[in-house]
Amino acid sequence: MSWMSKTVLVTGGAGFIGSHLCERLVSEGHNVICLDNLYTGSKENILQLLENPRFEFYRHDITFPLYVEVDQIYNLACPASPIHYQHDPVQTTKTSVHGAINVLGLAKRLKAPVLQASTSEVYGDPEVHPQVESYWGNVNPIGSRSCYDEGKRCAETLFFDYHRQHGLQIKVARIFNTYGPNMHPNDGRVVSNFIMQALQNKPITIYGQGEQTRSFCYVDDLVRGLVTLMDTSADVTGPINLGNPSEITIRELAETVIDITGSRSKLVGKPLPADDPRRRRPDIGAAQRVLGWKPEVPLKKGLTKTAKYFEELLKQPEERAS
Ligand code: NAD
Ligand code: UDP
Ligand code: UDP
């Protein structure tokens, strides 16, 4: 194994998806440098890894230059939940844009392949459904989601310009809604909100009519997609959609969560946030063709595993579960 093992940098490695990615890379025999400023991530997510000699944690803000020697780079650093990325929108844009520039400068110096965790938000409130990679999107450039959407769009631009101008090996993944253990219980995303509410028999907060749709991918499936994309030949750059094409309304999601948790919670209406996309579903034809990838974990199974994680969290002292 050791002759194949690489040193891999994961920015945002203490976050939800990043922690699963670090776990997987270490288990495959790689050395992992996990870089994170712990803005939304947490050391709890990487606790089991901290004692592993193949794992190193590096507390650093990606908006500042970084000098490490690695063979591959996964760039995941960026708050992903609307309440967190809107809390300090200027910092969100800086993280996406300055962060991308630093990571690309690093990749250029090292001649290392670099993968960008982009997002379905680059499609905005889409007029093409399901969303295919060739669609340019429908994004409000000055709204409350713009710091994230436009930041991520600019990061994609930078990745492709470094590729064209400097010959960098880039991989751009457009990630659709992903869920699973290690999501922050209070980050306001729909799956964590609904499960936490259901487990405590509290009202389940439906924003708007609940008729908007999303398509939810279990984190293990997503991480397998990211690793498969990184391991493709240099001619594969993406952008490539990674997500589960099984689409449901937010109301149906609430009912499914009540069902799997056996909760007594009732649904309550709340105002719909600004620019909330009405529907979202990935076309994963390219991922299937190019990567031979498709999600395998059905929603109920993934939600059940996630609910078990939050149930354990609720048994722990206040500061972790609140
Ligand atoms: P997360 O908030 O759990 O993880 C992001 C991590 O980045 C956190 O650990 C945070 O502390 C770190 N971070 C933020 N700003 C930083 C900075 N300036 N310097 C260093 N570290 C910083 O979110 P996640 O769901 O794990 O998302 C990971 C990546 O995947 C993000 O780039 C996100 O945009 C992308 N993504 C996620 C989803 C999803 O549904 N979860 C969907 C599309 C795209
Ligand atoms: N950079 C970095 N680590 C490196 C190499 C570069 O953080 O190992 C940063 C560097 O500080 C610069 C950015 O990446 O701001 C872009 O680098 P590039 O070489 O493209 O641009 P330049 O240094 O010419 O501005
Ligand atoms: N949502 C909801 N109740 C909540 C949290 C979110 O109805 O408690 C809705 C939200 O308005 C959006 C969808 O669920 O339509 C997904 O929201 P999330 O913040 O998870 O992700 P994103 O909007 O970025 O897809």
Side-chain angles (χ1 to χ4, degrees):
M1 195 66 209
S2 61
W3 62 273
M4 282 166 56
S5 91
K6 295 189 164 70
T7 301
V8 185
L9 172 67
V10 179
T11 78
F16 157 50
I17 297 175
S19 58
H20 288 271
L21 177 61
C22 290
E23 191 86 55
R24 172 159 179 154
L25 293 168
V26 167
S27 76
E28 286 177 352
H30 299 301
N31 295 300
V32 171
I33 300 177
C34 162
L35 178 148
D36 204 297
N37 68 351
L38 301 181
Y39 180 52
T40 52
S42 132
K43 274 197 181 173
E44 302 280 339
N45 287 341
I46 49 168
L47 216 51
Q48 270 104 319
L49 286 166
L50 284 171
E51 290 189 354
N52 192 312
R54 288 202 299 274
F55 182 84
E56 261 175 90
F57 174 65
Y58 177 20
R59 187 165 184 161
H60 179 80
D61 185 325
I62 195 70
T63 60
F64 296 100
L66 62 150
Y67 289 85
V68 288
E69 309 307 309
V70 296
D71 304 307
Q72 285 184 341
I73 304 164
Y74 288 86
N75 187 34
L76 273 65
C78 186
S81 110
I83 56 165
H84 281 143
Y85 70 65
Q86 289 171 24
H87 174 70
D88 185 349
V90 173
Q91 174 65 15
T92 299
T93 303
K94 284 185 186 170
T95 293
S96 278
V97 177
H98 292 178
I101 291 172
N102 287 329
V103 157
L104 287 160
L106 177 71
K108 183 178 127 196
R109 178 175 64 80
L110 299 173
K111 299 188 174 45
V114 55
L115 182 147
Q116 167 68 355
S118 190
T119 168
S120 52
E121 286 280 325
V122 301
Y123 301 121
D125 189 7
E127 286 151 335
V128 169
H129 194 72
Q131 290 77 60
V132 66
E133 290 86 348
S134 54
Y135 176 49
W136 289 356
N138 176 37
V139 175
N140 176 357
I142 56 165
S144 50
R145 294 176 89 102
S146 314
C147 57
Y148 183 74
D149 298 10
E150 297 291 16
K152 288 283 187 178
R153 285 168 69 95
C154 183
E156 285 200 9
T157 306
L158 285 160
F159 268 68
F160 277 86
D161 282 336
Y162 267 79
H163 170 66
R164 284 184 289 255
Q165 199 173 330
H166 299 298
L168 249 68
Q169 242 195 83
I170 59 157
K171 315 278 177 194
V172 175
R174 289 186 179 153
I175 302 170
F176 283 64
N177 295 67
T178 300
Y179 70 98
N182 294 1
M183 288 184 95
H184 195 289
N186 276 336
D187 79 358
R189 283 188 267 195
V190 70
V191 172
S192 41
N193 269 10
F194 284 5
I195 294 180
M196 287 297 283
Q197 290 161 345
L199 289 174
Q200 299 170 93
N201 295 308
K202 289 182 177 166
I204 294 202
T205 50
I206 305 275
Y207 300 165
Q209 297 303 308
E211 296 307 317
Q212 68 273 37
T213 69
R214 293 294 186 274
S215 309
F216 295 96
C217 185
Y218 189 65
V219 65
D220 290 355
D221 282 331
L222 192 268
V223 165
R224 181 167 47 84
L226 293 177
V227 171
T228 309
L229 176 59
M230 179 60 105
D231 289 342
T232 50
S233 55
D235 58 311
V236 178
T237 58
I240 198 153
N241 290 339
L242 292 179
N244 193 318
S246 157
E247 179 183 6
I248 65 168
T249 67
I250 293 306
R251 186 171 290 277
E252 284 165 341
L253 175 72
E255 284 156 3
T256 310
V257 167
I258 289 178
D259 179 32
I260 60 142
T261 53
S263 171
R264 295 190 304 278
S265 294
K266 299 276 173 272
L267 310 187
V268 295
K270 295 267 177 187
L272 188 68
D275 295 337
D276 200 276
R278 282 159 298 169
R279 51 190 191 163
R280 183 180 290 156
R281 167 155 63 101
D283 179 319
I284 59 161
Q288 282 180 288
R289 255 189 335 274
V290 179
L291 310 178
W293 176 88
K294 66 175 170 32
E296 282 164 6
V297 182
L299 184 63
K300 274 196 175 175
K301 189 171 169 195
L303 287 176
T304 305
K305 286 186 175 191
T306 312
K308 276 212 182 80
Y309 167 78
F310 284 121
E311 223 173 328
E312 285 305 312
L313 218 56
L314 281 167
K315 290 183 196 153
Q316 288 174 22
E318 279 287 296
E319 70 271 16
R320 184 74 182 116
S322 62

